[in-house]
Amino acid sequence: MEQRIENYIDNVLESSSSQLYLFSVGLGIVLVILGISLLLAGKRSKGKMGKTNTGLICTVIGIIAIVSGTVQM
């Protein structure tokens, strides 16, 4: 009985893995767009280093998510 449940869970996770990788790539694209817009907004308003730093962090995390999702596909 335990073996069947374990096999069922493995099959469900294996079938949904490609969707999770696609979600990772999509989320990465959204983060890159958000990061670039925050970088540009931070550069326009002098003295707003918080927006610039947040934009840089979002961009880097987005690029990592895109690369990771693409490699794992």
Side-chain angles (χ1 to χ4, degrees):
M1 181 72 172
E2 285 182 29
Q3 190 66 24
R4 283 191 289 171
I5 293 172
E6 187 176 327
N7 286 339
Y8 176 74
I9 291 172
D10 285 343
N11 289 337
V12 168
L13 290 174
E14 209 169 299
S15 67
S16 66
S17 65
S18 64
Q19 294 170 349
L20 291 174
Y21 300 145
L22 190 61
F23 176 74
S24 174
V25 171
L27 184 64
I29 291 170
V30 169
L31 281 172
V32 167
I33 292 170
L34 177 67
I36 290 173
S37 65
L38 285 173
L39 275 171
L40 293 176
K43 296 223 186 242
R44 272 190 240 127
S45 58
K46 305 279 186 198
K48 294 281 187 179
M49 285 303 293
K51 279 187 180 180
T52 305
N53 290 338
T54 305
L56 185 62
I57 291 169
C58 284
T59 305
V60 169
I61 291 174
I63 290 170
I64 291 171
I66 292 170
V67 170
S68 173
T70 304
V71 167
Q72 291 177 359
M73 274 190 220

